[in-house]
Amino acid sequence: MPKLNLTIPHTLTPDVATSRIRGLLNDLKAEHGDKISDLQEEWVKDTGKFACTVMGFRVAGVLAIEPSHVAITGTLPLAAMLFKSQLETLIKKHAAELLA
C-alpha cells in the first residue's frame, strides 16, 4: 500500500497546536463532505489515529503533534495513487492554515 507522509511545521506550543489540529479532519469533512465519509478519529494526548473514506477509498493513519511540526502518516489503497498528490495538497493547505 502507498504511504502518506506529511510534515507541517509550526511555531505554536504543543497544546495550542493540538487543539487546532484536532479540528483538521472535521474541517476537511465539512468542506469536502461530498468526497469524505465514515470519519473516525481517536486522540490520546498529542496523537490521533484516524480512518475515513475519501472518494471511495479507505484511508487510515496517525497525526502526531511534535514541538516544531505535525507529522501525518497513513496508508492509501493502491487504486488511490492517482489522487495521492491532490490529497496531500489538500491536507497540507488546511493544516498550515490551522497552525498559522
Side-chain angles (χ1 to χ4, degrees), residues 10-14 65-69:
H10 70 81
T11 56
L12 305 169
T13 65
I65 313 300
E66 303 293 340
S68 63
H69 67 277

Side-chain angles (χ1 to χ4, degrees), residues 71-89:
I72 302 172
T73 57
T75 57
L76 301 171
L78 189 57
M81 278 303 294
L82 295 173
F83 306 105
K84 182 180 178 189
S85 66
Q86 286 177 305
L87 185 59
E88 288 176 337
T89 300

Side-chain angles (χ1 to χ4, degrees), residues 32-50:
H32 303 281
D34 59 326
K35 297 177 183 118
I36 300 172
S37 62
D38 194 25
L39 174 62
Q40 303 164 352
E41 67 180 305
E42 176 184 326
W43 285 87
V44 176
K45 296 185 183 182
D46 297 337
T47 302
K49 294 181 183 180
F50 68 90

Side-chain angles (χ1 to χ4, degrees), residues 18-28 41 43 98:
T18 299
S19 69
R20 289 187 184 181
I21 211 70
R22 279 187 180 211
L24 175 64
L25 296 173
N26 284 321
D27 288 351
L28 288 172
E41 67 180 305
W43 285 87
L98 288 171

